[in-house]
Amino acid sequence: MIAAALAILIAVTAGYALARRRAARDHRQIAALLLGLRDGDYALRAAPAHGARGAAFAAVNALADELAGTRRAGIESDALLGKLLGAVDLAIIVIGPRNTIIGANATAGTLLGADADRLTGRPVAELGIASWIEGTGIDRFETPLPGGAGPWEVRRVRFRRAGRDHVMLVASELSRALREEERRVWRGLIRVLSHETGNSLGPIQATAEVLMRGIGDADPERLHDGLALIERRARGLGGFIRRYADLARLPPPVPEPIALASLVRRVAALETRRDVVVETTTEGLADADPAQMEQALINLIRNATDAALEGEGGVAIRLAEDVRHITIEIIDDGAGLPRSENLFVPGFTTKPGGSGIGLVLAREIIEAHGGTLALANRADRPGAIARIRLPRAKP
Ligand code: ADP
């Protein structure tokens, strides 16, 4: 009896010791796995098992799978972000605490005259851009840098990371954008000028040649017609050049408080070739130069009516306002805009006897008033919309 009890006790004790050893082994395995995960080793997994042990191992394995997935997604999105930042034409520099660079893209590297990777850790003061991080929003800096003479437009974005202040600088060279725009305008201008001078000089030269050849038989009527053509063409060319000069001499607006709705009604009534319907529920108070604004509206309403005359339709003008702006839409039932990038190039016209100055002049005037002018085709039917946006009068 005693012997049997002893045997049971020994068996129980041995079983207990075995279970403890197994539990200790399991704990060590789980601890190793968790430490591995902490150190970024997501490849380790616990072996499958039954019961409560199996459930504990499966839970740790699920955690490892989850972390591995998150890390993979993180690496992929980092790589994508890196590629995107590398591809943009803007210089992007991230500055951490103590005003040192913690990241920069390739364009920033070119700008600062160093490999983007080698910029990390360098103080901004050493690179000559310390003034860029002061202040908020967008500013313009004249700083000459290894990658260009500037000026630079710098946008600052402040944020906190790991409880510390950071700032991201996004910089672009203004002069390059301006030069490209200038070049585009010049190209358009030269195209129009050579077309226009060619149109006048060609017939002048041909007529002069004919007249020179027949100079001996001196038929007075032929001579007169030839000279008249030369005179007409020279006058046309002179007028064309003068309109350009007028455009360059446009004086700055002298603004006064005016009700745009009344002005629009008055100008619309001047157009007699087609009905111009004015729809407005507001007076549209703005600070504007009445003479200049009238000129801009005359040009746009004339264009709309010219277009409407090609068909049966008319012209409608809608004036509306929101908190900050007044919008005037001049809507016609014409055939729509010609497919051209040159609408606003001085001298571009598709009309016989057109000057091609109307749109540019209207835009110059509206922009000098702090507004915008855009032309678009109608979405609901053929026709065009000229859309003017102007700031409302200050109360
Ligand atoms: P012009 O009226 O002397 O041609 P503009 O500068 O006013 O000069 O206009 C330039 C060109 O833009 C016009 O010749 C025409 O082809 C096009 N255009 C302007 N407004 C309209 C419109 N409402 N509908 C269609 N085309 C237009």
mmCIF file of all heavy atoms in Angstrom, residues 250-278:
data_model
loop_
_atom_site.group_PDB
_atom_site.id
_atom_site.type_symbol
_atom_site.label_atom_id
_atom_site.label_comp_id
_atom_site.label_asym_id
_atom_site.label_seq_id
_atom_site.Cartn_x
_atom_site.Cartn_y
_atom_site.Cartn_z
ATOM 1 N N LEU A 250 -0.357 100.379 -72.231
ATOM 2 C CA LEU A 250 -1.569 100.376 -71.404
ATOM 3 C C LEU A 250 -1.257 100.923 -70.007
ATOM 4 O O LEU A 250 -0.438 100.362 -69.290
ATOM 5 C CB LEU A 250 -2.106 98.950 -71.296
ATOM 6 C CG LEU A 250 -3.433 98.788 -70.574
ATOM 7 C CD1 LEU A 250 -4.574 99.349 -71.417
ATOM 8 C CD2 LEU A 250 -3.694 97.339 -70.244
ATOM 9 N N PRO A 251 -1.887 102.048 -69.618
ATOM 10 C CA PRO A 251 -1.534 102.621 -68.321
ATOM 11 C C PRO A 251 -2.115 101.795 -67.174
ATOM 12 O O PRO A 251 -3.058 101.034 -67.379
ATOM 13 C CB PRO A 251 -2.196 104.005 -68.356
ATOM 14 C CG PRO A 251 -3.309 103.876 -69.330
ATOM 15 C CD PRO A 251 -2.939 102.798 -70.305
ATOM 16 N N PRO A 252 -1.554 101.918 -65.965
ATOM 17 C CA PRO A 252 -2.132 101.184 -64.833
ATOM 18 C C PRO A 252 -3.556 101.674 -64.564
ATOM 19 O O PRO A 252 -3.847 102.853 -64.781
ATOM 20 C CB PRO A 252 -1.211 101.531 -63.666
ATOM 21 C CG PRO A 252 -0.274 102.575 -64.131
ATOM 22 C CD PRO A 252 -0.418 102.759 -65.589
ATOM 23 N N PRO A 253 -4.473 100.787 -64.119
ATOM 24 C CA PRO A 253 -5.853 101.208 -63.898
ATOM 25 C C PRO A 253 -5.976 102.235 -62.770
ATOM 26 O O PRO A 253 -5.161 102.225 -61.847
ATOM 27 C CB PRO A 253 -6.572 99.911 -63.518
ATOM 28 C CG PRO A 253 -5.514 98.949 -63.130
ATOM 29 C CD PRO A 253 -4.247 99.377 -63.785
ATOM 30 N N VAL A 254 -6.967 103.105 -62.889
ATOM 31 C CA VAL A 254 -7.272 104.039 -61.793
ATOM 32 C C VAL A 254 -8.616 103.578 -61.225
ATOM 33 O O VAL A 254 -9.674 103.916 -61.736
ATOM 34 C CB VAL A 254 -7.379 105.490 -62.317
ATOM 35 C CG1 VAL A 254 -7.606 106.455 -61.154
ATOM 36 C CG2 VAL A 254 -6.142 105.867 -63.106
ATOM 37 N N PRO A 255 -8.573 102.762 -60.169
ATOM 38 C CA PRO A 255 -9.814 102.136 -59.702
ATOM 39 C C PRO A 255 -10.707 103.096 -58.921
ATOM 40 O O PRO A 255 -10.221 104.007 -58.254
ATOM 41 C CB PRO A 255 -9.337 101.007 -58.786
ATOM 42 C CG PRO A 255 -7.855 101.060 -58.775
ATOM 43 C CD PRO A 255 -7.415 102.342 -59.393
ATOM 44 N N GLU A 256 -12.017 102.864 -59.054
ATOM 45 C CA GLU A 256 -13.001 103.577 -58.230
ATOM 46 C C GLU A 256 -14.137 102.583 -57.974
ATOM 47 O O GLU A 256 -14.269 101.600 -58.715
ATOM 48 C CB GLU A 256 -13.500 104.827 -58.955
ATOM 49 C CG GLU A 256 -14.107 104.551 -60.311
ATOM 50 C CD GLU A 256 -14.538 105.835 -61.011
ATOM 51 O OE1 GLU A 256 -13.662 106.532 -61.555
ATOM 52 O OE2 GLU A 256 -15.748 106.099 -61.026
ATOM 53 N N PRO A 257 -14.943 102.799 -56.948
ATOM 54 C CA PRO A 257 -16.019 101.823 -56.684
ATOM 55 C C PRO A 257 -17.058 101.893 -57.810
ATOM 56 O O PRO A 257 -17.578 102.975 -58.092
ATOM 57 C CB PRO A 257 -16.624 102.299 -55.361
ATOM 58 C CG PRO A 257 -15.750 103.400 -54.872
ATOM 59 C CD PRO A 257 -14.942 103.911 -55.999
ATOM 60 N N ILE A 258 -17.284 100.777 -58.493
ATOM 61 C CA ILE A 258 -18.319 100.783 -59.540
ATOM 62 C C ILE A 258 -19.195 99.536 -59.422
ATOM 63 O O ILE A 258 -18.746 98.502 -58.919
ATOM 64 C CB ILE A 258 -17.743 100.856 -60.975
ATOM 65 C CG1 ILE A 258 -16.753 99.709 -61.244
ATOM 66 C CG2 ILE A 258 -17.099 102.202 -61.252
ATOM 67 C CD1 ILE A 258 -16.370 99.607 -62.718
ATOM 68 N N ALA A 259 -20.428 99.675 -59.934
ATOM 69 C CA ALA A 259 -21.334 98.527 -59.965
ATOM 70 C C ALA A 259 -21.158 97.869 -61.330
ATOM 71 O O ALA A 259 -21.516 98.438 -62.358
ATOM 72 C CB ALA A 259 -22.761 98.991 -59.768
ATOM 73 N N LEU A 260 -20.564 96.675 -61.314
ATOM 74 C CA LEU A 260 -20.262 96.025 -62.590
ATOM 75 C C LEU A 260 -21.530 95.669 -63.365
ATOM 76 O O LEU A 260 -21.540 95.689 -64.595
ATOM 77 C CB LEU A 260 -19.433 94.766 -62.351
ATOM 78 C CG LEU A 260 -17.967 95.028 -62.000
ATOM 79 C CD1 LEU A 260 -17.274 93.733 -61.609
ATOM 80 C CD2 LEU A 260 -17.229 95.666 -63.170
ATOM 81 N N ALA A 261 -22.636 95.375 -62.645
ATOM 82 C CA ALA A 261 -23.872 94.992 -63.341
ATOM 83 C C ALA A 261 -24.336 96.134 -64.251
ATOM 84 O O ALA A 261 -24.720 95.899 -65.404
ATOM 85 C CB ALA A 261 -24.957 94.628 -62.330
ATOM 86 N N SER A 262 -24.283 97.374 -63.762
ATOM 87 C CA SER A 262 -24.722 98.511 -64.594
ATOM 88 C C SER A 262 -23.788 98.674 -65.785
ATOM 89 O O SER A 262 -24.235 98.933 -66.903
ATOM 90 C CB SER A 262 -24.717 99.816 -63.810
ATOM 91 O OG SER A 262 -25.103 99.590 -62.504
ATOM 92 N N LEU A 263 -22.485 98.529 -65.524
ATOM 93 C CA LEU A 263 -21.511 98.676 -66.610
ATOM 94 C C LEU A 263 -21.766 97.622 -67.693
ATOM 95 O O LEU A 263 -21.787 97.926 -68.885
ATOM 96 C CB LEU A 263 -20.093 98.542 -66.049
ATOM 97 C CG LEU A 263 -18.967 98.758 -67.058
ATOM 98 C CD1 LEU A 263 -18.871 100.227 -67.433
ATOM 99 C CD2 LEU A 263 -17.628 98.313 -66.492
ATOM 100 N N VAL A 264 -22.006 96.377 -67.247
ATOM 101 C CA VAL A 264 -22.246 95.285 -68.195
ATOM 102 C C VAL A 264 -23.502 95.595 -69.023
ATOM 103 O O VAL A 264 -23.510 95.445 -70.247
ATOM 104 C CB VAL A 264 -22.394 93.940 -67.446
ATOM 105 C CG1 VAL A 264 -22.955 92.865 -68.344
ATOM 106 C CG2 VAL A 264 -21.056 93.501 -66.878
ATOM 107 N N ARG A 265 -24.567 96.066 -68.357
ATOM 108 C CA ARG A 265 -25.812 96.384 -69.073
ATOM 109 C C ARG A 265 -25.566 97.459 -70.125
ATOM 110 O O ARG A 265 -26.047 97.371 -71.245
ATOM 111 C CB ARG A 265 -26.889 96.841 -68.091
ATOM 112 C CG ARG A 265 -27.573 95.661 -67.426
ATOM 113 C CD ARG A 265 -28.894 96.084 -66.779
ATOM 114 N NE ARG A 265 -29.104 95.237 -65.617
ATOM 115 C CZ ARG A 265 -28.794 95.578 -64.381
ATOM 116 N NH1 ARG A 265 -28.299 96.769 -64.109
ATOM 117 N NH2 ARG A 265 -28.994 94.738 -63.394
ATOM 118 N N ARG A 266 -24.784 98.477 -69.727
ATOM 119 C CA ARG A 266 -24.512 99.581 -70.655
ATOM 120 C C ARG A 266 -23.731 99.094 -71.879
ATOM 121 O O ARG A 266 -24.083 99.410 -73.013
ATOM 122 C CB ARG A 266 -23.698 100.652 -69.912
ATOM 123 C CG ARG A 266 -24.083 102.033 -70.318
ATOM 124 C CD ARG A 266 -23.511 103.156 -69.484
ATOM 125 N NE ARG A 266 -22.117 103.056 -69.130
ATOM 126 C CZ ARG A 266 -21.680 102.914 -67.887
ATOM 127 N NH1 ARG A 266 -22.530 102.842 -66.872
ATOM 128 N NH2 ARG A 266 -20.396 102.860 -67.633
ATOM 129 N N VAL A 267 -22.714 98.285 -71.640
ATOM 130 C CA VAL A 267 -21.896 97.812 -72.762
ATOM 131 C C VAL A 267 -22.695 96.843 -73.638
ATOM 132 O O VAL A 267 -22.604 96.883 -74.871
ATOM 133 C CB VAL A 267 -20.595 97.145 -72.251
ATOM 134 C CG1 VAL A 267 -19.768 96.637 -73.407
ATOM 135 C CG2 VAL A 267 -19.782 98.129 -71.436
ATOM 136 N N ALA A 268 -23.530 96.010 -72.992
ATOM 137 C CA ALA A 268 -24.331 95.042 -73.755
ATOM 138 C C ALA A 268 -25.265 95.782 -74.708
ATOM 139 O O ALA A 268 -25.506 95.329 -75.842
ATOM 140 C CB ALA A 268 -25.119 94.155 -72.801
ATOM 141 N N ALA A 269 -25.777 96.936 -74.279
ATOM 142 C CA ALA A 269 -26.729 97.691 -75.109
ATOM 143 C C ALA A 269 -26.039 98.284 -76.346
ATOM 144 O O ALA A 269 -26.702 98.593 -77.341
ATOM 145 C CB ALA A 269 -27.364 98.800 -74.273
ATOM 146 N N LEU A 270 -24.711 98.414 -76.274
ATOM 147 C CA LEU A 270 -23.979 98.967 -77.429
ATOM 148 C C LEU A 270 -23.936 97.974 -78.593
ATOM 149 O O LEU A 270 -23.732 98.363 -79.736
ATOM 150 C CB LEU A 270 -22.537 99.319 -77.040
ATOM 151 C CG LEU A 270 -22.330 100.386 -75.963
ATOM 152 C CD1 LEU A 270 -20.848 100.522 -75.632
ATOM 153 C CD2 LEU A 270 -22.878 101.723 -76.457
ATOM 154 N N GLU A 271 -24.088 96.706 -78.279
ATOM 155 C CA GLU A 271 -24.009 95.670 -79.310
ATOM 156 C C GLU A 271 -25.385 95.526 -79.964
ATOM 157 O O GLU A 271 -26.330 95.076 -79.310
ATOM 158 C CB GLU A 271 -23.547 94.352 -78.674
ATOM 159 C CG GLU A 271 -23.392 93.202 -79.629
ATOM 160 C CD GLU A 271 -22.500 93.522 -80.812
ATOM 161 O OE1 GLU A 271 -21.262 93.561 -80.663
ATOM 162 O OE2 GLU A 271 -23.063 93.768 -81.903
ATOM 163 N N THR A 272 -25.481 95.899 -81.224
ATOM 164 C CA THR A 272 -26.807 95.918 -81.863
ATOM 165 C C THR A 272 -26.982 94.781 -82.860
ATOM 166 O O THR A 272 -28.074 94.588 -83.382
ATOM 167 C CB THR A 272 -27.013 97.251 -82.598
ATOM 168 O OG1 THR A 272 -25.876 97.461 -83.446
ATOM 169 C CG2 THR A 272 -27.134 98.423 -81.631
ATOM 170 N N ARG A 273 -25.902 94.030 -83.129
ATOM 171 C CA ARG A 273 -26.024 93.021 -84.194
ATOM 172 C C ARG A 273 -26.835 91.809 -83.752
ATOM 173 O O ARG A 273 -27.473 91.158 -84.545
ATOM 174 C CB ARG A 273 -24.616 92.595 -84.642
ATOM 175 C CG ARG A 273 -23.828 93.736 -85.270
ATOM 176 C CD ARG A 273 -22.408 93.318 -85.549
ATOM 177 N NE ARG A 273 -21.702 92.950 -84.319
ATOM 178 C CZ ARG A 273 -20.560 92.279 -84.283
ATOM 179 N NH1 ARG A 273 -19.996 91.884 -85.391
ATOM 180 N NH2 ARG A 273 -19.982 91.996 -83.137
ATOM 181 N N ARG A 274 -26.781 91.492 -82.475
ATOM 182 C CA ARG A 274 -27.559 90.372 -81.923
ATOM 183 C C ARG A 274 -28.013 90.768 -80.517
ATOM 184 O O ARG A 274 -27.404 91.625 -79.878
ATOM 185 C CB ARG A 274 -26.700 89.100 -81.793
ATOM 186 C CG ARG A 274 -26.558 88.293 -83.048
ATOM 187 C CD ARG A 274 -27.809 87.503 -83.366
ATOM 188 N NE ARG A 274 -27.904 87.219 -84.786
ATOM 189 C CZ ARG A 274 -27.450 86.121 -85.384
ATOM 190 N NH1 ARG A 274 -26.871 85.195 -84.670
ATOM 191 N NH2 ARG A 274 -27.597 85.943 -86.671
ATOM 192 N N ASP A 275 -29.049 90.082 -80.012
ATOM 193 C CA ASP A 275 -29.504 90.336 -78.637
ATOM 194 C C ASP A 275 -28.453 89.875 -77.642
ATOM 195 O O ASP A 275 -27.931 88.760 -77.765
ATOM 196 C CB ASP A 275 -30.781 89.529 -78.364
ATOM 197 C CG ASP A 275 -32.002 90.319 -78.804
ATOM 198 O OD1 ASP A 275 -31.833 91.509 -79.132
ATOM 199 O OD2 ASP A 275 -33.095 89.726 -78.833
ATOM 200 N N VAL A 276 -28.147 90.736 -76.686
ATOM 201 C CA VAL A 276 -27.249 90.319 -75.603
ATOM 202 C C VAL A 276 -28.069 90.401 -74.309
ATOM 203 O O VAL A 276 -28.424 91.483 -73.855
ATOM 204 C CB VAL A 276 -26.008 91.233 -75.521
ATOM 205 C CG1 VAL A 276 -25.084 90.756 -74.403
ATOM 206 C CG2 VAL A 276 -25.261 91.265 -76.848
ATOM 207 N N VAL A 277 -28.408 89.239 -73.758
ATOM 208 C CA VAL A 277 -29.273 89.186 -72.575
ATOM 209 C C VAL A 277 -28.403 89.208 -71.321
ATOM 210 O O VAL A 277 -27.469 88.411 -71.204
ATOM 211 C CB VAL A 277 -30.100 87.873 -72.584
ATOM 212 C CG1 VAL A 277 -31.044 87.822 -71.401
ATOM 213 C CG2 VAL A 277 -30.851 87.753 -73.897
ATOM 214 N N VAL A 278 -28.694 90.123 -70.397
ATOM 215 C CA VAL A 278 -27.900 90.194 -69.161
ATOM 216 C C VAL A 278 -28.727 89.623 -68.006
ATOM 217 O O VAL A 278 -29.839 90.062 -67.757
ATOM 218 C CB VAL A 278 -27.489 91.650 -68.848
ATOM 219 C CG1 VAL A 278 -26.645 91.706 -67.574
ATOM 220 C CG2 VAL A 278 -26.724 92.250 -70.019
#
